[in-house]
Amino acid sequence: MSGGVSGFSVQLEELMAGAEKLDGLAQDLLWAEEESGRILDELCRADHQPAWSGAGYVASVRDSAWALRTVRAEMQRISAEVRTCIRDYEKAEEHAKTSQYFGYRSHQDLLHSAIVILTSKAADGKTMEWLVSQLGAQASAMKTNIGQNPWVRDAVFGIASGLRPRHIDVQREENMAVDLEASPAGLLERIRQIEARGPGFIEVLEVPKGGETAYVVVIPGTQAAGIQAGGDNPFDEAGIGEGMFYSSSEVNQAILEALEAAGAKRGAPLVAVGYSQGGIHAMNLAADPEVLRTYDVRYVLTAGSPVAGITPGVGVSSLHLEHEADWVPGADGAPNPDTRDRVTVTLTNPVTTPEGESAGLGPGHRLSGYGEAASLVGASKDPSLVQSTAALGAVLGAGGAVTATRFSLSRTPPTVPKDRRDPFSGRPQPGAR
């Protein structure tokens, strides 16, 4: 586990704060040491005057100055050793993270495979060779280099027709009373419920607590479309690209529309929960300036999601569930940041695919497995997890009877300008007229 009040980086921050306090005390002692030296000089001059002898006073002040010097030097020595330890710990942690994330998960190979799958329908061999070489050179900084380079980003996702984000229509479908367990496990159960409702659905929960009403946005995982990726379901394979490279721009707008339709007032407390692809959208929601201006985003829960490169707004608490046998959370090639407000739980229990079920993306990626882990998280006495679950409880209380509003989301059909050409071959793209 990493992050939270007992997280590695947080502990290092506290060590550094302790070293800085020692430096401050040493500076105060230095001032006292200099002052005692000044007094000693005055006494020494007085000691040589007729009819007065202050030898005892002089000796006492001299001893005090020496004692101050000794204590001050020891404080500075301890501070220096603490700082050296911090540097050694940081180097060791960085080495451990590098070994973990680029050892058993082989993120670059997985990244290449995923992009090939998404783009193979419209890419010839020459284009794919170019694409893979470009991604290989930038995979270790995928979010930064590709995500912030619009030309590369658009080229990658423009190769396959329809993979770029498109406007999403939002349709309110149903409204019902449900019983909510306001815990990590209870929120993941809502994902299971909304996935069972059908493809393209999200859920907005209206949770009364005291004198205010909080809202929970429930976002499903990837709903595979196969060769129809980039169709009308915003949560198909193309949705992964929107989440990782376009900051969920259209999904965020659709969620804002759904929240307004559900009656969420400006400034209302907001919790976002998502599984797999849904976790990417949930974190992007908490990082979107427009969303943060409109609602008081307080908590995000993700399960099996690659979200290391997404930084939520200030004061947003987040809990990330990952399994060491699940390659998906590491698909962005980096560990989640270790901060006071951000807790990552890495599961290590053995997992298998139940008989009769599809292997999917592997047994470690099953939502049911993350649900079981979330129950353990809720009962944990670990200080970081206690604080994280308490932050969730502060927003939603104990749960109980709440109102659930479900919305169906659908992408508008793609439009390709008649003069649109492939950026590599120069030939008209499929669908161009």
Side-chain angles (χ1 to χ4, degrees), residues 105-166:
R105 285 184 172 175
S106 301
H107 288 26
Q108 293 188 12
D109 293 339
L110 292 167
L111 172 64
H112 294 168
S113 299
I115 297 298
V116 168
I117 290 170
L118 285 174
T119 59
S120 58
K121 299 194 302 298
D124 57 26
K126 185 176 180 180
T127 300
M128 286 310 305
E129 182 180 355
W130 180 90
L131 173 62
V132 172
S133 67
Q134 291 299 306
L135 287 174
Q138 303 186 72
S140 63
M142 180 180 64
K143 178 67 174 178
T144 300
N145 292 340
I146 296 180
Q148 293 182 1
N149 186 326
W151 188 90
V152 175
R153 179 194 65 188
D154 288 351
V156 168
F157 288 94
I159 291 173
S161 176
L163 291 187
R164 290 181 182 172
R166 306 195 303 274

Short mmCIF file of all heavy atoms in Angstrom, two decimals, residues 105-166:
data_model
loop_
_atom_site.label_atom_id
_atom_site.label_comp_id
_atom_site.label_asym_id
_atom_site.label_seq_id
_atom_site.Cartn_x
_atom_site.Cartn_y
_atom_site.Cartn_z
N ARG A 105 5.16 -6.36 -14.91
CA ARG A 105 4.02 -5.88 -15.70
C ARG A 105 4.37 -5.62 -17.17
O ARG A 105 3.50 -5.59 -18.01
CB ARG A 105 3.46 -4.60 -15.08
CG ARG A 105 2.65 -4.90 -13.81
CD ARG A 105 2.01 -3.67 -13.25
NE ARG A 105 1.11 -4.02 -12.17
CZ ARG A 105 0.48 -3.13 -11.41
NH1 ARG A 105 0.65 -1.86 -11.62
NH2 ARG A 105 -0.33 -3.51 -10.47
N SER A 106 5.64 -5.38 -17.50
CA SER A 106 6.06 -5.15 -18.88
C SER A 106 5.13 -4.15 -19.57
O SER A 106 4.52 -4.42 -20.60
CB SER A 106 6.08 -6.46 -19.67
OG SER A 106 6.94 -7.37 -19.07
N HIS A 107 5.04 -2.94 -19.00
CA HIS A 107 4.06 -1.97 -19.47
C HIS A 107 4.26 -1.54 -20.91
O HIS A 107 3.28 -1.31 -21.63
CB HIS A 107 4.13 -0.70 -18.60
CG HIS A 107 3.59 -0.93 -17.24
ND1 HIS A 107 3.56 -2.15 -16.64
CD2 HIS A 107 3.02 -0.06 -16.36
CE1 HIS A 107 3.03 -2.05 -15.45
NE2 HIS A 107 2.71 -0.79 -15.24
N GLN A 108 5.49 -1.38 -21.36
CA GLN A 108 5.68 -0.90 -22.71
C GLN A 108 5.11 -1.90 -23.72
O GLN A 108 4.44 -1.53 -24.68
CB GLN A 108 7.16 -0.64 -22.98
CG GLN A 108 7.70 0.52 -22.14
CD GLN A 108 9.11 0.88 -22.55
OE1 GLN A 108 9.59 0.43 -23.58
NE2 GLN A 108 9.77 1.69 -21.75
N ASP A 109 5.38 -3.20 -23.51
CA ASP A 109 4.84 -4.21 -24.43
C ASP A 109 3.32 -4.20 -24.42
O ASP A 109 2.67 -4.31 -25.46
CB ASP A 109 5.35 -5.61 -24.04
CG ASP A 109 6.85 -5.73 -24.27
OD1 ASP A 109 7.39 -4.95 -25.06
OD2 ASP A 109 7.47 -6.62 -23.65
N LEU A 110 2.75 -4.06 -23.21
CA LEU A 110 1.30 -4.05 -23.11
C LEU A 110 0.71 -2.81 -23.79
O LEU A 110 -0.32 -2.87 -24.45
CB LEU A 110 0.88 -4.09 -21.64
CG LEU A 110 1.19 -5.40 -20.92
CD1 LEU A 110 1.05 -5.24 -19.42
CD2 LEU A 110 0.26 -6.50 -21.41
N LEU A 111 1.38 -1.69 -23.62
CA LEU A 111 0.92 -0.46 -24.26
C LEU A 111 0.92 -0.62 -25.77
O LEU A 111 -0.06 -0.29 -26.45
CB LEU A 111 1.83 0.70 -23.85
CG LEU A 111 1.60 2.03 -24.57
CD1 LEU A 111 0.21 2.55 -24.24
CD2 LEU A 111 2.66 3.02 -24.18
N HIS A 112 2.01 -1.15 -26.31
CA HIS A 112 2.08 -1.35 -27.75
C HIS A 112 0.94 -2.26 -28.23
O HIS A 112 0.27 -1.97 -29.22
CB HIS A 112 3.43 -1.99 -28.13
CG HIS A 112 4.59 -1.09 -27.87
ND1 HIS A 112 5.89 -1.52 -27.91
CD2 HIS A 112 4.66 0.22 -27.54
CE1 HIS A 112 6.70 -0.52 -27.64
NE2 HIS A 112 5.97 0.54 -27.40
N SER A 113 0.72 -3.35 -27.51
CA SER A 113 -0.32 -4.29 -27.90
C SER A 113 -1.69 -3.63 -27.91
O SER A 113 -2.50 -3.82 -28.82
CB SER A 113 -0.33 -5.50 -26.96
OG SER A 113 0.90 -6.18 -27.01
N ALA A 114 -1.96 -2.82 -26.88
CA ALA A 114 -3.27 -2.18 -26.79
C ALA A 114 -3.49 -1.21 -27.94
O ALA A 114 -4.57 -1.18 -28.55
CB ALA A 114 -3.39 -1.44 -25.45
N ILE A 115 -2.48 -0.42 -28.24
CA ILE A 115 -2.63 0.54 -29.35
C ILE A 115 -2.79 -0.19 -30.68
O ILE A 115 -3.57 0.20 -31.54
CB ILE A 115 -1.43 1.50 -29.40
CG1 ILE A 115 -1.40 2.34 -28.10
CG2 ILE A 115 -1.52 2.42 -30.60
CD1 ILE A 115 -2.61 3.21 -27.89
N VAL A 116 -2.03 -1.28 -30.87
CA VAL A 116 -2.16 -2.06 -32.10
C VAL A 116 -3.58 -2.58 -32.26
O VAL A 116 -4.17 -2.51 -33.34
CB VAL A 116 -1.14 -3.22 -32.12
CG1 VAL A 116 -1.47 -4.19 -33.24
CG2 VAL A 116 0.27 -2.68 -32.29
N ILE A 117 -4.15 -3.09 -31.18
CA ILE A 117 -5.52 -3.61 -31.24
C ILE A 117 -6.49 -2.51 -31.63
O ILE A 117 -7.38 -2.70 -32.45
CB ILE A 117 -5.91 -4.21 -29.87
CG1 ILE A 117 -5.11 -5.50 -29.62
CG2 ILE A 117 -7.40 -4.50 -29.82
CD1 ILE A 117 -5.26 -6.03 -28.21
N LEU A 118 -6.30 -1.31 -31.05
CA LEU A 118 -7.23 -0.21 -31.31
C LEU A 118 -7.12 0.31 -32.74
O LEU A 118 -8.08 0.83 -33.30
CB LEU A 118 -6.96 0.95 -30.34
CG LEU A 118 -7.45 0.75 -28.90
CD1 LEU A 118 -6.98 1.91 -28.05
CD2 LEU A 118 -8.96 0.63 -28.85
N THR A 119 -5.94 0.21 -33.33
CA THR A 119 -5.73 0.88 -34.60
C THR A 119 -5.57 -0.05 -35.79
O THR A 119 -5.50 0.40 -36.92
CB THR A 119 -4.46 1.77 -34.53
OG1 THR A 119 -3.34 0.93 -34.20
CG2 THR A 119 -4.62 2.84 -33.49
N SER A 120 -5.53 -1.35 -35.57
CA SER A 120 -5.19 -2.28 -36.63
C SER A 120 -6.20 -2.29 -37.77
O SER A 120 -5.86 -2.61 -38.90
CB SER A 120 -5.05 -3.70 -36.08
OG SER A 120 -6.25 -4.10 -35.45
N LYS A 121 -7.46 -1.93 -37.52
CA LYS A 121 -8.48 -1.99 -38.55
C LYS A 121 -8.19 -1.04 -39.71
O LYS A 121 -8.54 -1.29 -40.84
CB LYS A 121 -9.86 -1.66 -37.96
CG LYS A 121 -10.33 -2.60 -36.88
CD LYS A 121 -11.79 -2.41 -36.61
CE LYS A 121 -12.10 -0.98 -36.18
NZ LYS A 121 -11.43 -0.61 -34.94
N ALA A 122 -7.53 0.10 -39.40
CA ALA A 122 -7.37 1.12 -40.44
C ALA A 122 -5.91 1.39 -40.78
O ALA A 122 -5.61 2.30 -41.52
CB ALA A 122 -8.04 2.42 -40.00
N ALA A 123 -4.99 0.63 -40.19
CA ALA A 123 -3.58 0.93 -40.38
C ALA A 123 -2.91 -0.14 -41.22
O ALA A 123 -3.07 -1.33 -40.96
CB ALA A 123 -2.89 1.04 -39.02
N ASP A 124 -2.14 0.27 -42.23
CA ASP A 124 -1.38 -0.70 -42.98
C ASP A 124 -0.07 -0.98 -42.24
O ASP A 124 0.24 -0.36 -41.23
CB ASP A 124 -1.11 -0.20 -44.41
CG ASP A 124 -0.39 1.14 -44.43
OD1 ASP A 124 0.31 1.46 -43.46
OD2 ASP A 124 -0.56 1.87 -45.42
N GLY A 125 0.72 -1.92 -42.80
CA GLY A 125 1.93 -2.33 -42.11
C GLY A 125 2.92 -1.20 -41.90
O GLY A 125 3.53 -1.07 -40.84
N LYS A 126 3.08 -0.35 -42.90
CA LYS A 126 4.04 0.75 -42.79
C LYS A 126 3.63 1.74 -41.71
O LYS A 126 4.44 2.21 -40.91
CB LYS A 126 4.14 1.46 -44.14
CG LYS A 126 5.20 2.55 -44.16
CD LYS A 126 5.32 3.16 -45.55
CE LYS A 126 6.38 4.25 -45.58
NZ LYS A 126 6.51 4.85 -46.92
N THR A 127 2.34 2.05 -41.68
CA THR A 127 1.84 2.97 -40.67
C THR A 127 2.00 2.40 -39.27
O THR A 127 2.40 3.10 -38.33
CB THR A 127 0.36 3.30 -40.92
OG1 THR A 127 0.23 3.89 -42.20
CG2 THR A 127 -0.18 4.25 -39.87
N MET A 128 1.69 1.10 -39.12
CA MET A 128 1.80 0.48 -37.80
C MET A 128 3.25 0.45 -37.33
O MET A 128 3.55 0.65 -36.16
CB MET A 128 1.23 -0.93 -37.82
CG MET A 128 -0.29 -0.97 -37.87
SD MET A 128 -1.05 0.08 -36.61
CE MET A 128 -0.28 -0.57 -35.15
N GLU A 129 4.18 0.20 -38.24
CA GLU A 129 5.59 0.19 -37.88
C GLU A 129 6.02 1.56 -37.36
O GLU A 129 6.71 1.69 -36.36
CB GLU A 129 6.43 -0.21 -39.09
CG GLU A 129 7.92 -0.30 -38.79
CD GLU A 129 8.72 -0.69 -40.01
OE1 GLU A 129 8.12 -0.97 -41.06
OE2 GLU A 129 9.96 -0.70 -39.92
N TRP A 130 5.56 2.61 -38.05
CA TRP A 130 5.88 3.97 -37.62
C TRP A 130 5.26 4.27 -36.25
O TRP A 130 5.90 4.83 -35.37
CB TRP A 130 5.34 4.96 -38.65
CG TRP A 130 5.61 6.40 -38.29
CD1 TRP A 130 6.69 7.16 -38.63
CD2 TRP A 130 4.78 7.25 -37.48
NE1 TRP A 130 6.59 8.41 -38.10
CE2 TRP A 130 5.43 8.51 -37.38
CE3 TRP A 130 3.55 7.08 -36.84
CZ2 TRP A 130 4.89 9.58 -36.68
CZ3 TRP A 130 3.01 8.14 -36.12
CH2 TRP A 130 3.69 9.37 -36.05
N LEU A 131 4.00 3.89 -36.10
CA LEU A 131 3.28 4.16 -34.85
C LEU A 131 3.97 3.50 -33.67
O LEU A 131 4.22 4.13 -32.64
CB LEU A 131 1.84 3.66 -34.97
CG LEU A 131 1.00 3.71 -33.69
CD1 LEU A 131 0.85 5.14 -33.21
CD2 LEU A 131 -0.35 3.06 -33.92
N VAL A 132 4.30 2.22 -33.80
CA VAL A 132 4.92 1.50 -32.69
C VAL A 132 6.28 2.07 -32.35
O VAL A 132 6.65 2.20 -31.18
CB VAL A 132 5.02 -0.01 -33.01
CG1 VAL A 132 5.84 -0.72 -31.96
CG2 VAL A 132 3.63 -0.62 -33.10
N SER A 133 7.05 2.48 -33.37
CA SER A 133 8.37 3.05 -33.09
C SER A 133 8.23 4.37 -32.34
O SER A 133 9.01 4.66 -31.43
CB SER A 133 9.14 3.27 -34.39
OG SER A 133 8.53 4.28 -35.19
N GLN A 134 7.22 5.17 -32.72
CA GLN A 134 7.01 6.43 -32.02
C GLN A 134 6.57 6.21 -30.58
O GLN A 134 7.06 6.87 -29.64
CB GLN A 134 5.95 7.27 -32.75
CG GLN A 134 6.40 7.79 -34.10
CD GLN A 134 7.60 8.71 -33.98
OE1 GLN A 134 7.57 9.68 -33.23
NE2 GLN A 134 8.66 8.40 -34.71
N LEU A 135 5.66 5.28 -30.38
CA LEU A 135 5.20 5.00 -29.01
C LEU A 135 6.31 4.40 -28.17
O LEU A 135 6.44 4.69 -26.99
CB LEU A 135 3.99 4.07 -29.05
CG LEU A 135 2.69 4.70 -29.55
CD1 LEU A 135 1.62 3.64 -29.69
CD2 LEU A 135 2.23 5.79 -28.62
N GLY A 136 7.13 3.55 -28.80
CA GLY A 136 8.23 2.95 -28.06
C GLY A 136 9.19 3.98 -27.52
O GLY A 136 9.73 3.84 -26.43
N ALA A 137 9.41 5.04 -28.29
CA ALA A 137 10.33 6.09 -27.86
C ALA A 137 9.74 6.94 -26.74
O ALA A 137 10.47 7.61 -26.01
CB ALA A 137 10.69 6.98 -29.04
N GLN A 138 8.40 6.92 -26.61
CA GLN A 138 7.77 7.83 -25.65
C GLN A 138 6.96 7.11 -24.59
O GLN A 138 6.34 7.75 -23.75
CB GLN A 138 6.83 8.79 -26.41
CG GLN A 138 7.53 9.59 -27.49
CD GLN A 138 6.61 10.62 -28.11
OE1 GLN A 138 6.28 11.62 -27.49
NE2 GLN A 138 6.18 10.35 -29.33
N ALA A 139 6.96 5.79 -24.59
CA ALA A 139 6.04 5.05 -23.72
C ALA A 139 6.27 5.34 -22.25
O ALA A 139 5.32 5.40 -21.48
CB ALA A 139 6.18 3.54 -23.97
N SER A 140 7.52 5.56 -21.84
CA SER A 140 7.78 5.78 -20.42
C SER A 140 7.19 7.08 -19.92
O SER A 140 7.03 7.29 -18.72
CB SER A 140 9.28 5.75 -20.14
OG SER A 140 9.91 6.81 -20.82
N ALA A 141 6.90 8.00 -20.85
CA ALA A 141 6.28 9.27 -20.47
C ALA A 141 5.03 9.48 -21.32
O ALA A 141 4.77 10.56 -21.81
CB ALA A 141 7.24 10.42 -20.64
N MET A 142 4.25 8.43 -21.48
CA MET A 142 3.12 8.42 -22.39
C MET A 142 2.17 9.59 -22.16
O MET A 142 1.82 10.31 -23.09
CB MET A 142 2.35 7.11 -22.24
CG MET A 142 1.15 6.99 -23.16
SD MET A 142 0.31 5.43 -22.89
CE MET A 142 -0.23 5.60 -21.21
N LYS A 143 1.76 9.79 -20.93
CA LYS A 143 0.78 10.83 -20.65
C LYS A 143 1.33 12.20 -20.98
O LYS A 143 0.65 13.05 -21.55
CB LYS A 143 0.38 10.77 -19.17
CG LYS A 143 -0.62 11.83 -18.74
CD LYS A 143 -1.96 11.63 -19.37
CE LYS A 143 -2.97 12.62 -18.81
NZ LYS A 143 -4.28 12.49 -19.42
N THR A 144 2.59 12.45 -20.64
CA THR A 144 3.17 13.77 -20.85
C THR A 144 3.44 14.03 -22.32
O THR A 144 3.01 15.02 -22.89
CB THR A 144 4.47 13.90 -20.04
OG1 THR A 144 4.18 13.73 -18.67
CG2 THR A 144 5.09 15.28 -20.26
N ASN A 145 4.17 13.12 -22.97
CA ASN A 145 4.64 13.40 -24.32
C ASN A 145 3.54 13.32 -25.37
O ASN A 145 3.46 14.18 -26.25
CB ASN A 145 5.76 12.43 -24.70
CG ASN A 145 7.01 12.69 -23.88
OD1 ASN A 145 7.16 13.76 -23.33
ND2 ASN A 145 7.88 11.72 -23.80
N ILE A 146 2.73 12.27 -25.31
CA ILE A 146 1.68 12.14 -26.32
C ILE A 146 0.47 12.98 -25.93
O ILE A 146 -0.09 13.68 -26.76
CB ILE A 146 1.28 10.67 -26.51
CG1 ILE A 146 2.48 9.89 -27.05
CG2 ILE A 146 0.11 10.55 -27.46
CD1 ILE A 146 2.19 8.42 -27.28
N GLY A 147 0.08 12.91 -24.65
CA GLY A 147 -1.11 13.62 -24.22
C GLY A 147 -1.01 15.12 -24.41
O GLY A 147 -2.00 15.80 -24.64
N GLN A 148 0.23 15.69 -24.32
CA GLN A 148 0.38 17.12 -24.46
C GLN A 148 0.83 17.53 -25.86
O GLN A 148 1.10 18.70 -26.12
CB GLN A 148 1.37 17.63 -23.41
CG GLN A 148 0.83 17.49 -21.99
CD GLN A 148 1.78 18.03 -20.96
OE1 GLN A 148 2.84 18.53 -21.29
NE2 GLN A 148 1.41 17.94 -19.70
N ASN A 149 0.96 16.57 -26.76
CA ASN A 149 1.31 16.88 -28.14
C ASN A 149 0.08 16.61 -29.00
O ASN A 149 -0.18 15.48 -29.40
CB ASN A 149 2.48 16.01 -28.60
CG ASN A 149 2.98 16.40 -29.98
OD1 ASN A 149 2.20 16.81 -30.83
ND2 ASN A 149 4.27 16.26 -30.20
N PRO A 150 -0.71 17.62 -29.30
CA PRO A 150 -1.97 17.40 -30.02
C PRO A 150 -1.80 16.71 -31.36
O PRO A 150 -2.62 15.88 -31.74
CB PRO A 150 -2.53 18.83 -30.18
CG PRO A 150 -1.88 19.62 -29.09
CD PRO A 150 -0.51 19.04 -28.94
N TRP A 151 -0.72 17.03 -32.10
CA TRP A 151 -0.56 16.42 -33.42
C TRP A 151 -0.35 14.92 -33.30
O TRP A 151 -1.00 14.13 -33.98
CB TRP A 151 0.62 17.05 -34.16
CG TRP A 151 0.68 16.59 -35.58
CD1 TRP A 151 0.08 17.17 -36.65
CD2 TRP A 151 1.34 15.43 -36.07
NE1 TRP A 151 0.34 16.45 -37.79
CE2 TRP A 151 1.12 15.37 -37.47
CE3 TRP A 151 2.12 14.43 -35.49
CZ2 TRP A 151 1.63 14.37 -38.27
CZ3 TRP A 151 2.63 13.43 -36.28
CH2 TRP A 151 2.39 13.40 -37.65
N VAL A 152 0.57 14.52 -32.41
CA VAL A 152 0.83 13.08 -32.24
C VAL A 152 -0.42 12.38 -31.72
O VAL A 152 -0.82 11.33 -32.22
CB VAL A 152 2.02 12.85 -31.29
CG1 VAL A 152 2.20 11.36 -31.02
CG2 VAL A 152 3.30 13.44 -31.87
N ARG A 153 -1.05 12.99 -30.72
CA ARG A 153 -2.25 12.39 -30.13
C ARG A 153 -3.34 12.20 -31.18
O ARG A 153 -3.91 11.12 -31.33
CB ARG A 153 -2.76 13.30 -29.01
CG ARG A 153 -4.01 12.81 -28.31
CD ARG A 153 -4.61 13.94 -27.48
NE ARG A 153 -5.06 15.02 -28.33
CZ ARG A 153 -5.48 16.20 -27.85
NH1 ARG A 153 -5.45 16.44 -26.57
NH2 ARG A 153 -5.90 17.14 -28.68
N ASP A 154 -3.63 13.25 -31.95
CA ASP A 154 -4.69 13.16 -32.95
C ASP A 154 -4.32 12.20 -34.07
O ASP A 154 -5.19 11.53 -34.63
CB ASP A 154 -4.98 14.55 -33.53
CG ASP A 154 -5.69 15.45 -32.54
OD1 ASP A 154 -6.10 14.93 -31.49
OD2 ASP A 154 -5.83 16.65 -32.81
N ALA A 155 -3.02 12.14 -34.41
CA ALA A 155 -2.60 11.21 -35.45
C ALA A 155 -2.81 9.78 -35.02
O ALA A 155 -3.33 8.95 -35.76
CB ALA A 155 -1.13 11.46 -35.79
N VAL A 156 -2.40 9.48 -33.77
CA VAL A 156 -2.56 8.12 -33.26
C VAL A 156 -4.01 7.69 -33.28
O VAL A 156 -4.36 6.61 -33.76
CB VAL A 156 -1.99 8.01 -31.82
CG1 VAL A 156 -2.40 6.69 -31.19
CG2 VAL A 156 -0.48 8.14 -31.84
N PHE A 157 -4.90 8.55 -32.79
CA PHE A 157 -6.29 8.15 -32.68
C PHE A 157 -7.11 8.48 -33.93
O PHE A 157 -8.27 8.13 -34.02
CB PHE A 157 -6.91 8.75 -31.42
CG PHE A 157 -6.40 8.08 -30.19
CD1 PHE A 157 -5.32 8.62 -29.52
CD2 PHE A 157 -6.94 6.89 -29.74
CE1 PHE A 157 -4.81 7.98 -28.41
CE2 PHE A 157 -6.42 6.25 -28.65
CZ PHE A 157 -5.36 6.80 -27.97
N GLY A 158 -6.47 9.16 -34.87
CA GLY A 158 -7.15 9.42 -36.12
C GLY A 158 -6.94 8.32 -37.14
O GLY A 158 -7.63 8.26 -38.15
N ILE A 159 -5.95 7.44 -36.88
CA ILE A 159 -5.68 6.34 -37.80
C ILE A 159 -6.90 5.44 -37.93
O ILE A 159 -7.29 5.04 -39.02
CB ILE A 159 -4.46 5.53 -37.33
CG1 ILE A 159 -3.19 6.38 -37.49
CG2 ILE A 159 -4.32 4.24 -38.12
CD1 ILE A 159 -1.97 5.74 -36.88
N ALA A 160 -7.51 5.13 -36.80
CA ALA A 160 -8.70 4.29 -36.82
C ALA A 160 -9.93 5.19 -36.83
O ALA A 160 -10.09 6.04 -35.98
CB ALA A 160 -8.73 3.38 -35.60
N SER A 161 -10.76 4.99 -37.80
CA SER A 161 -11.93 5.86 -37.96
C SER A 161 -12.83 5.82 -36.73
O SER A 161 -13.17 4.77 -36.22
CB SER A 161 -12.73 5.41 -39.19
OG SER A 161 -13.92 6.16 -39.31
N GLY A 162 -13.21 7.01 -36.24
CA GLY A 162 -14.19 7.10 -35.16
C GLY A 162 -13.61 7.03 -33.77
O GLY A 162 -14.36 7.07 -32.80
N LEU A 163 -12.27 6.93 -33.61
CA LEU A 163 -11.72 6.78 -32.26
C LEU A 163 -11.55 8.09 -31.53
O LEU A 163 -11.32 8.10 -30.33
CB LEU A 163 -10.38 6.03 -32.30
CG LEU A 163 -10.46 4.56 -32.69
CD1 LEU A 163 -9.11 3.90 -32.52
CD2 LEU A 163 -11.50 3.82 -31.85
N ARG A 164 -11.60 9.19 -32.22
CA ARG A 164 -11.49 10.47 -31.53
C ARG A 164 -12.78 10.76 -30.76
O ARG A 164 -13.86 10.33 -31.16
CB ARG A 164 -11.22 11.59 -32.53
CG ARG A 164 -9.82 11.52 -33.14
CD ARG A 164 -9.60 12.67 -34.10
NE ARG A 164 -8.29 12.58 -34.71
CZ ARG A 164 -7.90 13.35 -35.70
NH1 ARG A 164 -8.73 14.26 -36.19
NH2 ARG A 164 -6.69 13.23 -36.22
N PRO A 165 -12.68 11.54 -29.67
CA PRO A 165 -13.89 11.86 -28.90
C PRO A 165 -14.92 12.59 -29.74
O PRO A 165 -14.58 13.41 -30.60
CB PRO A 165 -13.35 12.77 -27.78
CG PRO A 165 -11.91 12.41 -27.66
CD PRO A 165 -11.46 12.08 -29.04
N ARG A 166 -16.18 12.27 -29.51
CA ARG A 166 -17.29 12.95 -30.17
C ARG A 166 -18.32 13.34 -29.12
O ARG A 166 -18.34 12.80 -28.01
CB ARG A 166 -17.94 12.02 -31.22
CG ARG A 166 -16.96 11.46 -32.23
CD ARG A 166 -17.70 10.87 -33.44
NE ARG A 166 -18.65 9.82 -33.09
CZ ARG A 166 -18.33 8.53 -32.96
NH1 ARG A 166 -17.07 8.14 -33.10
NH2 ARG A 166 -19.26 7.64 -32.66
#
